[in-house]
Amino acid sequence: MAVLGEGDLRAFRTFPKLLACLAASGGNRTAIREKDFGIWQSWTWREYLIEARSLAGGLAECGFQRGDKVAIIGDNRPELYFGIMAAQMLGGVPVPMYQDSIADEMVFILDHAEVRFAVVEDQEQVDKLLTVREQLPNLDFIIFEDDRGLRHYDEPGLMSYADSVRRGTEFELGKPNFIDEEIGKGEGEDIAVMLYTSGTTGQPKGVMLTYENVISTSWSGIEHDNLSSNEKVVAYMPMAWIGDHLFSYGQALCRGFTVNCPESADTVLQDVREIGPTCFFAPPRIWENILTTVMVRIEDSGWVKRKLFSFFMKLAERIGPEIMDGRKVGVLSRCLYFVGRILVYGPLRDNLGFSRMRIAYTAGEAIGPEIFTFYRSIGVNIKQLYGMTEATALVVGQADGEVYADSVGVPYPGVEIRIEDNGEVLCRSPGVFKGYYKNPEATTETLTADGWIRSGDAGLIDGDGQLRIIDRAKDVGKLNNGAMFAPKYIENKLKFSPYVREAVAFGNGHDAVTAFVNIDLEAVGNWAERKGLSYTSYTDLASKSEVYELVGRDIERVNGSLAQDKKLSASQITRFLILHKELDPDDNELTRTRKVRRRFIADKYSELIEALYTGQDSVDIDAQVTFEDGRTGSIQATLAIRDVSIGGGGQLNGGVRAV
Amino acid sequence: MLEVKNISLSFGAVQALHDISFGVDQGEILAIIGPNGAGKSSMLNVINGFYTPDSGTILFKGVSRAKMEPAEVARAGVARTFQNIALFRGMTTLDNIMTGRNTKMSKNFLWQALHFGPARNEELEHRRKAEEIIDFLEIQAIRKTIVSRLPYGLQKRVELGRALAAEPELLLLDEPMAGMNTEEKEDMCRFILDVNDHFGTTIALIEHDMGVVMDISDRVVVLDYGQKIADGSPSEVRADKHVIDAYLGVSGN
């Protein structure tokens, strides 16, 4: 079977046209897989086309109009990707949404986008939509993929995916040319997708991206990483996230490679191992989690394995990245590394499902340099990428052989960047969005008249032309002694500790830096088990003085590393407390992509911050929590506050409680 | 579907069940409740064939049963879970669920040992069914996990899975929610309702949590000291004087 070259596919400027072409030539290649009933079920490009067409027919039969919005809600399922395609075939606009949002959060987006159709995964999502349906006069049809528990629902407009496809097939018999005509009407300049950015402040904003945006950005990523049609990726990040949309939809369709959908959110790592993806995309949080799991398992293993691991990891950290970048390394070290590859790195990579991985990306947030180095040292070609939804994800990425832990790389083909006087990074590219949906003020704030996007991130370009991101431009502050305070930088350092899951640093307008810490329940729980320390819950474990000591030691280590940096030695952490609950998107403390909502937390826990700066040893708190189903409750606790010793003394001005 | 008529059962001098009659209708969820020692589990054991009643008859799908072995009852379409989890602790979730298919396997062990041709096809068919159940109960992530390493709530779910694997027409659940936290209970309730809805399985369950019983059952039978003291819809039973007395005690008694 003839496999299409790049040139052939480049000619197509909408996804339905690309799909038709893929199905016509090379249609028996696997397009998408899903693990279901314990087996990987696959769809070829031809079947992809048939499914999407039938679904489109089903939508058309319900009176779908060009420009109608289709909400896509659920875990990564082939049927939901077909839903995106079906909407695009009919000139509609898919609006993928975060599947773990609670109903009230969904109302805003569904209402703002005037969503008429929703293609959702299961009963959970249907129930959420039904509870708020009264507030959504536009929402006419809800199509669900998994009919479990939904048989006796008889709400108007509610139908199963299978029904919809059946009706679509009949519709096509009656009007065989209709869908082809609709596909033909699609232009590159049309809006292809609307992605709502959760934003660290305010209401979500709907980023409108055209086919040109997504397709040209997809191609520049394909060129940058030399992706072929044989790539395998695992689609497990929320479909509402630009990263997933670009890799699992955009690039997959542009280049015609295979996307794999995991069985469930809990099985992702097992599924990754089975698939052995060639490209893998994960935010730092996932990389951290994998590393934590590895560390926990090593701690639990016998002493021979532990010794072997620690010996070879020390070696790998020293020379692994050098070898990967093709730099010179001594013969003896190289031989040892080879032994290490057989004994440790290879088996470890295989165990994680990273054996075939050619390219791995981390993006979304800054990654701890130590985490980054860990993966590179065992031979995983992890690279950083910097981007934003408004620029269709890709702005700056690291090229092979030019990978550094503290910078994010050079502009992608076709992207220009510049730095404003206040340090803010601006970019311009073919991926620059059309604007926020029904929000011209926000659009003019972000998009300059000559097409540059204000990223809101503070950064600088270093000597090698590499972009380095410091923090959110608005978060970078100053301590009272005038020293720069970049909270995220400090938090990322803290988060490298396997025991710290999340951290929030304070210091802007204060004399010294203090921090809230969330412990990692798995790692600390495991540690407590080994120590014979009993605990009942997160809150209980977090309040143990032994845990405070454990975390305190790691903070001292962070202070030691901060002390070495001239600009940041004033940012050493003087006091901290461990929060009684995990920061949670349901409580608005994190965004759905799990970024810290700094201002919200500062407001909500203002008493705690005050206590950190007034020298109290403990503070009482009564905080509201929201459960997964939207109910609320409260947790009362008394939190201890601890001082931490700081290194490189004398650098700090008076007024700081140094111990 | 199931008719229990004038069942009496005693262990020595202890009269566990005394002249009990009730029916379970096709497709309903029936709850059997009662204080400790009321004879609920004995009742289930009688239906299931573990105990042979001293007197009385059981009609299952219109056929009267004098004395039956548990295995025969299972083959006839009755599956159950136990108050104390009775899984094969050293086996994986999947293997445990596969054992539930035991009554449906027809090839003898020589065939199975050879594992090719018809025996292999049969196993594939059973595996497919087991996977449907794993999917249904959302336990994909623990498919290959040894059962003894699972938390209690999940073990209960695996046990339900094993019972479902037998594709029963009547499912007996002995305290499916005992020892669970609120969230696990809610999950379990949902699964029970889904089983009833999706497979059309008739369910008889014993439960102590009144909230759960009132929420999910179509009908409630109340036992006390081996006697049936009430039988009706949840709201009827809740208002019944005998039931209130049995549960809350009688003042001045």
Side-chain angles (χ1 to χ4, degrees):
Chain A
M1 175 136 319
V3 175
L4 285 171
E6 274 190 35
D8 305 320
L9 287 164
R10 271 182 186 267
F12 298 95
R13 305 315 286 183
T14 72
F15 289 113
K17 290 176 186 171
L18 268 165
L19 175 63
C21 173
L22 281 166
S25 58
N28 290 333
R29 294 170 57 85
T30 304
I32 195 162
R33 288 194 194 96
E34 180 194 21
K35 194 170 181 190
D36 206 4
F37 302 121
I39 295 173
W40 288 97
Q41 325 265 356
S42 27
W43 285 261
T44 62
W45 287 112
R46 192 169 297 135
E47 288 162 337
Y48 195 136
L49 178 68
I50 294 169
E51 282 280 331
R53 279 186 77 111
S54 307
L55 182 60
L59 295 176
E61 210 245 75
C62 294
F64 193 98
Q65 298 294 317
R66 290 192 81 81
D68 274 353
K69 314 292 189 301
V70 183
I72 307 284
I73 317 171
D75 288 334
N76 313 64
R77 300 278 167 224
E79 289 82 358
L80 298 188
Y81 288 106
F82 302 154
I84 294 182
M85 179 59 74
Q88 292 182 342
M89 284 175 163
L90 300 177
V93 181
V95 185
M97 289 167 59
Y98 284 98
Q99 67 272 32
D100 57 351
S101 304
I102 53 177
D104 292 337
E105 292 173 336
M106 290 185 169
V107 171
F108 176 81
I109 296 176
L110 291 166
D111 179 54
H112 186 261
E114 300 137 4
V115 167
R116 239 190 107 204
F117 290 81
V119 179
V120 307
E121 188 189 2
D122 55 11
Q123 187 185 19
E124 182 188 343
Q125 307 298 347
V126 170
D127 282 346
K128 276 196 266 185
L129 291 182
L130 292 181
T131 56
V132 293
R133 197 172 187 182
E134 281 177 9
Q135 303 167 52
L136 301 165
N138 289 316
L139 184 62
D140 291 335
F141 296 95
I142 302 172
I143 296 163
F144 52 86
E145 190 249 308
D146 184 356
D147 65 354
R148 202 176 94 204
L150 287 164
R151 293 190 172 192
H152 300 303
Y153 283 41
D154 55 354
E155 314 288 325
L158 188 64
M159 69 176 107
S160 75
Y161 177 87
D163 265 347
S164 190
V165 166
R166 200 170 313 123
R167 291 166 70 165
T169 318
E170 280 164 27
F171 176 86
E172 279 228 77
L173 290 176
K175 291 183 171 180
N177 296 325
F178 178 80
I179 289 173
D180 283 327
E181 283 163 15
E182 289 297 306
I183 292 174
K185 287 183 203 163
E187 297 288 340
E189 281 308 307
D190 296 347
I191 303 295
V193 65
M194 256 164 51
L195 299 166
Y196 277 78
T197 56
S198 44
T200 39
T201 48
Q203 293 287 12
K205 290 174 286 200
V207 176
M208 296 186 285
L209 298 174
T210 63
Y211 289 104
E212 282 297 334
N213 288 154
V214 185
I215 289 177
S216 48
T217 314
S218 292
W219 278 111
S220 82
I222 290 168
E223 271 169 37
H224 182 261
D225 289 314
N226 207 3
L227 301 181
S228 75
S229 56
N230 295 320
E231 309 297 340
K232 291 191 187 70
V233 299
V234 176
Y236 69 101
M237 292 301 296
M239 292 177 69
W241 187 49
I242 180 65
D244 183 71
H245 191 73
L246 188 75
F247 290 86
S248 311
Y249 191 76
Q251 292 190 341
L253 276 155
C254 281
R255 198 67 192 87
F257 60 72
T258 313
V259 174
N260 298 280
C261 301
E263 189 164 26
S264 78
D266 302 326
T267 59
V268 172
L269 293 182
Q270 291 165 28
D271 296 336
V272 165
R273 195 177 170 204
E274 288 176 9
I275 287 297
T278 56
C279 299
F280 190 65
F281 196 96
R285 171 172 55 89
I286 303 272
W287 296 113
E288 281 166 31
N289 286 352
I290 297 174
L291 177 56
T292 305
T293 318
V294 169
M295 289 306 183
V296 167
R297 295 220 305 250
I298 292 295
E299 288 293 324
D300 276 349
S301 63
W303 69 270
V304 179
K305 283 187 188 166
R306 272 208 312 273
K307 282 273 171 338
L308 263 180
F309 181 81
S310 77
F311 173 79
F312 281 109
M313 279 321 295
K314 270 202 195 95
L315 174 80
E317 267 160 37
R318 196 159 49 82
I319 60 165
E322 312 278 311
I323 290 176
M324 180 165 282
D325 288 342
R327 281 192 279 273
K328 270 200 171 155
V329 175
V331 178
L332 184 67
S333 303
R334 206 175 263 274
C335 289
L336 265 177
Y337 188 86
F338 180 74
V339 176
R341 181 145 56 191
I342 294 168
L343 291 176
V344 179
Y345 321 134
L348 181 58
R349 273 203 328 248
D350 181 48
N351 211 289
L352 298 172
F354 293 176
S355 301
R356 279 191 281 187
M357 198 171 287
R358 212 160 53 77
I359 303 149
Y361 270 114
T362 167
E365 269 205 79
I367 189 166
E370 294 86 350
I371 301 170
F372 192 68
T373 310
F374 170 83
Y375 288 103
R376 287 195 74 75
S377 61
I378 61 164
V380 175
N381 184 18
I382 183 174
K383 299 195 279 187
Q384 305 201 54
L385 186 163
Y386 168 76
M388 60 199 99
T389 312
E390 287 82 350
T392 328
L394 306 184
V395 178
V396 167
Q398 292 177 326
D400 287 330
E402 284 179 34
V403 177
Y404 310 97
D406 56 355
S407 59
V408 291
V410 293
Y412 269 89
V415 179
E416 306 164 72
I417 58 170
R418 65 181 166 96
I419 310 277
E420 286 279 82
D421 294 340
N422 65 359
E424 187 172 359
V425 179
L426 269 67
C427 72
R428 188 160 68 175
S429 75
V432 168
F433 72 134
K434 279 290 124 191
Y436 295 114
Y437 187 57
K438 295 198 300 191
N439 195 344
E441 301 93 64
T443 307
T444 40
E445 252 172 54
T446 307
L447 195 61
T448 66
D450 47 356
W452 291 83
I453 300 176
R454 297 181 176 280
S455 67
D457 289 316
L460 47 95
I461 295 175
D462 66 16
D464 305 328
Q466 303 267 331
L467 178 68
R468 203 192 286 196
I469 300 293
I470 310 170
D471 205 334
R472 293 294 294 170
K474 62 180 192 303
D475 288 336
V476 175
K478 280 194 164 57
L479 294 173
N480 281 350
N481 61 11
M484 182 180 79
F485 168 68
K488 205 191 258 172
Y489 188 81
I490 300 166
E491 288 155 12
N492 286 331
K493 275 195 174 298
L494 285 172
K495 277 156 67 178
F496 178 61
S497 159
Y499 304 120
V500 176
R501 187 179 175 88
E502 203 57 74
V504 192
F506 303 97
N508 190 24
H510 289 287
D511 291 327
V513 176
T514 59
F516 289 172
V517 172
N518 257 178
I519 52 173
D520 187 295
L521 190 56
E522 191 189 350
V524 179
N526 198 280
W527 172 86
E529 232 169 72
R530 273 183 281 118
K531 291 270 161 192
L533 201 64
S534 64
Y535 64 95
T536 54
S537 62
Y538 178 88
T539 313
D540 184 36
L541 185 62
S543 66
K544 299 263 181 224
S545 63
E546 290 89 342
V547 173
Y548 265 85
E549 269 163 40
L550 178 77
V551 173
R553 276 199 296 277
D554 276 352
I555 295 184
E556 278 168 27
R557 220 162 292 152
V558 169
N559 281 349
S561 115
L562 284 169
Q564 285 166 16
D565 193 322
K566 262 211 175 106
K567 269 189 186 161
L568 296 165
S569 67
S571 291
Q572 295 184 56
I573 298 153
T574 56
R575 278 159 71 75
F576 76 100
L577 60 79
I578 300 178
L579 286 174
H580 56 295
K581 67 175 275 287
E582 290 181 275
L583 295 174
D584 197 315
D586 288 346
D587 291 330
N588 281 322
E589 294 157 346
L590 301 178
T591 66
R592 286 283 158 203
T593 46
R594 305 198 78 87
K595 290 182 189 171
V596 166
R597 282 204 160 105
R598 207 168 290 289
R599 269 141 232 229
F600 181 83
I601 293 173
D603 267 359
K604 179 169 177 181
Y605 296 114
S606 55
E607 301 155 38
L608 298 187
I609 299 172
E610 204 186 310
L612 279 170
Y613 286 104
T614 49
Q616 285 165 250
D617 289 334
S618 70
V619 57
D620 291 322
I621 174 95
D622 180 353
Q624 263 222 335
V625 291
T626 311
F627 298 114
E628 266 178 33
D629 59 1
R631 285 178 302 180
T632 56
S634 69
I635 297 184
Q636 289 93 16
T638 303
L639 303 185
I641 298 177
R642 288 295 163 86
D643 296 329
V644 200
S645 58
I646 52 173
Q651 299 256 3
L652 288 153
N653 292 344
V656 175
R657 280 175 55 104
V659 179
Chain B
M1 152 162 266
L2 180 84
E3 216 25 82
V4 180
K5 277 189 187 157
N6 313 100
I7 293 285
S8 294
L9 174 73
S10 57
F11 301 105
V14 181
Q15 185 80 20
L17 298 170
H18 185 80
D19 195 25
I20 296 197
S21 305
F22 63 87
V24 187
D25 298 332
Q26 178 80 41
E28 76 173 347
I29 299 181
L30 173 89
I32 302 172
I33 64 169
N36 281 339
K40 305 179 299 285
S41 291
S42 303
M43 191 64 239
L44 232 52
N45 285 335
V46 166
I47 296 176
N48 169 237
F50 278 141
Y51 296 159
T52 311
D54 302 336
S55 65
T57 48
I58 297 172
L59 282 126
F60 182 60
K61 292 191 279 186
V63 183
S64 166
R65 270 172 30 194
K67 184 175 186 296
M68 258 177 138
E69 289 302 312
E72 292 173 57
V73 177
R75 231 165 275 135
V78 181
R80 70 169 295 179
T81 67
F82 296 84
Q83 192 170 348
N84 311 313
I85 295 169
L87 288 165
F88 300 100
R89 298 177 54 79
M91 291 178 10
T92 62
T93 298
L94 176 64
D95 289 341
N96 266 288
I97 291 176
M98 284 295 271
T99 60
R101 301 293 299 167
N102 193 20
T103 55
K104 305 267 173 192
M105 297 194 183
S106 57
K107 297 284 172 290
N108 67 34
F109 88 102
L110 276 175
W111 264 115
Q112 289 177 356
L114 286 172
H115 197 256
F116 90 108
R120 189 157 182 275
N121 290 341
E122 185 185 37
E123 171 141 352
L124 286 177
E125 191 44 51
H126 289 306
R127 171 70 188 266
R128 192 164 299 139
K129 188 69 201 172
E131 286 293 344
E132 274 172 33
I133 287 158
I134 288 174
D135 183 70
F136 186 85
L137 296 175
E138 295 168 7
I139 46 179
Q140 297 98 334
I142 57 164
R143 184 185 282 124
K144 298 270 168 76
T145 312
I146 304 291
V147 159
S148 60
R149 284 169 51 191
L150 295 175
Y152 184 79
L154 277 178
Q155 292 194 15
K156 281 269 187 194
R157 214 188 284 182
V158 174
E159 209 190 17
L160 175 63
R162 186 181 58 185
L164 285 177
E167 296 177 73
E169 286 170 65
L170 175 64
L171 181 62
L172 309 174
L173 305 173
D174 197 347
E175 302 204 11
M177 266 117 344
M180 288 190 170
N181 63 31
T182 316
E183 200 183 324
E184 288 169 334
K185 273 185 191 168
E186 283 177 359
D187 281 351
M188 192 50 117
C189 281
R190 178 151 223 157
F191 286 123
I192 293 174
L193 289 170
D194 281 353
V195 167
N196 180 250
D197 178 58
H198 201 88
F199 301 114
T201 314
T202 309
I203 297 171
L205 61 97
I206 293 178
E207 186 47 58
H208 274 300
D209 187 315
M210 280 309 115
V212 168
V213 169
M214 298 300 164
D215 274 356
I216 69 173
S217 45
D218 301 311
R219 209 153 55 82
V220 182
V221 168
V222 191
L223 300 183
D224 192 20
Y225 294 113
Q227 311 253 10
K228 185 171 98 169
I229 57 172
D231 182 348
S233 71
S235 51
E236 282 165 23
V237 166
R238 205 191 325 232
D240 190 288
K241 186 169 179 316
H242 295 291
V243 178
I244 297 169
D245 288 350
Y247 266 88
L248 303 175
V250 182
S251 58
N253 200 354

